[in-house]
Amino acid sequence: MKTLLVLGGTGKTGSRIARRLKAAGLPVRTASRTGGDVHFDLDAPASWTPALDGVTAAYLVEPSLSASTDHRVRIPRLVTEAVTAGVRRLVLLSAPRAGEDGHPLHAAEQAVRGSGVDWTILRPQWFAQNFSEGPWRPGSSPEPWPCPPVTGARRSSTRRTSPRSLWRR
């Protein structure tokens, strides 16, 4: 059976993805600097090997979009190590315009695309999760927030996205 690794498994997106994957009956390993199933730190490559052990698919997120050169190479280095360790599917949380040279996630996208394994790159345009927790929760509606129509765009919602669709082969 596949083991799915979720980086940032205790964070905003990772915790939600891990929860939905587990609810779908999939074996999930959350990776985080604190509180995950396995300790993982992008700044500590020694923590990568234990996290990747036995993993066939991984959800990748770069938590820092600072202009630091060091941060721009972390995900590409991880992609190389993940593929070497046997990961056969990568899902990268990216950002709008990350396909452009100079964007902090450009190298990460290039590494995922050139990895030689199945991949999905997510470029969300809007995050509304902050309205579903904390002080905003009582006033928020369970329905999706209305979005203005955008010509040529397809409306999607992570609420409606099947977690299995990210891990299909």
Side-chain angles (χ1 to χ4, degrees), residues 29-89:
R29 179 182 305 155
T30 58
S32 173
R33 287 176 293 191
T34 58
D37 297 326
V38 62
H39 174 75
F40 183 91
D41 188 339
L42 278 170
D43 287 326
S47 71
W48 302 359
T49 301
L52 292 167
D53 185 43
V55 169
T56 56
Y59 171 76
L60 310 175
V61 59
E62 170 55 75
S64 175
L65 296 183
S66 73
S68 166
T69 303
D70 293 334
H71 287 169
R72 291 178 186 232
V73 300
R74 297 188 308 179
I75 294 294
R77 285 181 59 202
L78 176 60
V79 165
T80 299
E81 187 163 330
V83 172
T84 300
V87 173
R88 295 292 166 247
R89 177 122 180 97

Side-chain angles (χ1 to χ4, degrees), residues 129-143:
Q129 81 273 8
N130 291 334
F131 294 104
S132 66
E133 58 193 34
W136 296 103
R137 185 176 175 83
S140 67
S141 166
E143 297 300 316

